[in-house]
């Protein structure tokens, strides 16, 4: 399935578009199933979108019917500045009425292996609540992902064994130089079971990887993990001009 690409002039319009996508997905999910089951990523790109969603002018999101999960987490305490939970809590979760029991953080301070098993049990509980069969992964309404310059997404890095495993949750050691190295990541079997996968990408440093993935997803899937993640109903790339407009604007969408 060809990804849909939407190109935005800059960080402001990009984060607004992403916030509106979350609101639309949430409204549809609550209308159809009574809950919005959302998985978010770490990194810096989503923070402007979180701020938008927490602002007084935010699009309506049914926070009291929202369940929040993470695509990955670093093996650090929850209050560590490197924690993906800490970032989302500071920019969004501390400002909107999501029930504490609906915030399913990866307890990576336990160490990656123990945290992976603990989180896998959370996903089994979710799958059971959704009436899924024993080995069927849970279905997320929206999984929001970023992409690294090397094509990683969540904490699935190129040429990692994790890419070919069916495990729902993986204990991962990131490549040398990536700090922190010990992480917990969702696996492709869960990512690709989502209704919608949305990539949020900004910055000229992502231009090369976005161009590769969007213009040649099949070839890119050989070695770029982000090219292997796609939603069951749709896959959307929300990018800014710096990260891909010139390369993909003529082929997809238009600049908003
Ligand atoms: C993480 C993220 C990771 C992130 C990309 C992009 O824990 O680091 O889940 O996959 O989405 O590295 O990060 P930026 O948005 O900071 O460029």
């Amino acid at each position: 399935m060809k990804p849909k690409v939407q190109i935005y002039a800059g960080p402001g319009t990009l984060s607004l578009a992403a916030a509106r996508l979350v609101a639309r997905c949430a409204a549809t999910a609550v209308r159809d199933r009574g809950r919005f089951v959302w998985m978010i990523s770490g990194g810096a790109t989503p923070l402007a979108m979180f701020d938008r969603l927490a602002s007084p002018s935010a699009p309506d999101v049914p926070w009291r019917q929202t369940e929040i999960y993470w695509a990955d987490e670093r093996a650090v305490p929850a209050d560590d500045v490197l924690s993906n939970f800490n970032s989302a809590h500071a920019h969004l979760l501390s400002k909107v009425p999501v029930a504490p029991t609906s915030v399913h953080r990866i307890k990576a301070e336990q160490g990656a292996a123990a945290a992976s098993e603990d989180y896998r049990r959370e996903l089994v509980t979710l799958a059971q609540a959704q009436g899924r069969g024993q080995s069927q992964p849970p279905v997320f309404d929206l999984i929001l992902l970023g992409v690294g310059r090397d094509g990683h997404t969540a904490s699935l890095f190129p040429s990692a064994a994790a890419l070919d495993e069916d495990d729902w949750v993986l204990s991962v050691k990131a490549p040398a130089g990536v700090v922190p190295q010990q992480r917990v990541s969702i696996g492709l079997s869960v990512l690709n079971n989502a209704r919608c996968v949305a990539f949020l990408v900004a910055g000229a440093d992502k231009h090369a990887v976005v161009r590769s993935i969007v213009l040649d997803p099949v070839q890119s899937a050989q070695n770029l993990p982000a090219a292997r993640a796609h939603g069951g109903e749709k896959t959307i790339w929300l990018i800014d001009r710096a990260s891909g407009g010139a390369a993909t604007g003529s082929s997809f969408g238009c600049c908003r």
Side-chain angles (χ1 to χ4, degrees):
M1 176 195 308
K2 214 165 183 56
K4 182 177 177 186
V5 180
Q6 293 175 346
I7 305 162
Y8 296 89
T13 48
L14 179 67
S15 59
L16 178 57
R20 286 173 173 164
L21 172 67
V22 171
R24 283 198 307 275
C25 287
T28 301
V30 169
R31 179 197 66 201
D32 295 351
R33 290 173 295 278
R35 303 300 291 170
F36 172 44
V37 186
W38 182 25
M39 180 176 278
I40 60 177
S41 260
T45 307
L47 301 183
M49 178 200 66
F50 291 156
D51 292 338
R52 286 263 186 195
L53 288 169
S55 72
S57 60
D60 284 342
V61 174
W63 293 115
R64 290 181 174 80
Q65 289 79 36
T66 296
E67 300 290 331
I68 297 203
Y69 293 79
W70 273 261
D72 67 335
E73 186 55 278
R74 294 85 177 271
V76 296
D79 60 358
D80 189 301
V81 67
L82 290 175
S83 158
N84 290 336
F85 164 80
N86 185 57
S87 300
H89 185 265
H91 287 264
L92 178 63
L93 301 181
S94 56
K95 302 170 182 175
V96 294
V98 177
T101 53
S102 296
V103 176
H104 308 273
R105 76 177 183 90
I106 302 173
K107 302 177 182 69
E109 67 276 10
Q110 303 172 52
S116 299
E117 185 45 35
D118 178 77
Y119 195 53
R120 193 188 66 78
R121 285 195 293 270
E122 281 245 34
L123 298 185
V124 168
T125 301
L126 173 61
Q128 288 170 341
Q130 293 178 334
R132 309 279 290 158
Q134 266 297 329
S135 59
Q136 291 181 306
V139 181
F140 286 86
D141 296 301
L142 174 63
I143 298 185
L144 186 80
L145 296 172
V147 64
R149 290 193 302 274
D150 61 354
H152 81 259
T153 194
S155 284
L156 300 173
F157 291 88
S159 71
L163 284 176
D164 298 319
E165 295 188 23
D166 290 335
D167 292 347
W168 296 2
V169 185
L170 300 138
S171 170
V172 169
K173 185 175 182 183
V178 176
V179 176
Q181 274 197 298
Q182 285 303 326
R183 295 162 174 242
V184 175
S185 182
I186 206 75
L188 286 170
S189 57
V190 175
L191 288 181
N192 293 341
N193 206 48
R195 290 186 173 88
C196 176
V197 167
F199 286 91
L200 188 56
V201 190
D205 63 329
K206 304 289 176 70
H207 177 95
V209 71
V210 167
R211 188 181 196 288
S212 299
I213 294 173
V214 168
L215 294 185
D216 192 349
V218 174
Q219 177 56 38
S220 301
Q222 305 300 318
N223 59 343
L224 301 178
R228 294 177 61 174
H230 45 80
E233 292 172 10
K234 58 186 160 188
T235 306
I236 305 174
W237 284 74
L238 293 98
I239 64 178
D240 69 354
R241 286 202 71 77
S243 63
T248 57
S250 56
S251 316
F252 300 87
C254 64
C255 187
R256 287 167 172 73

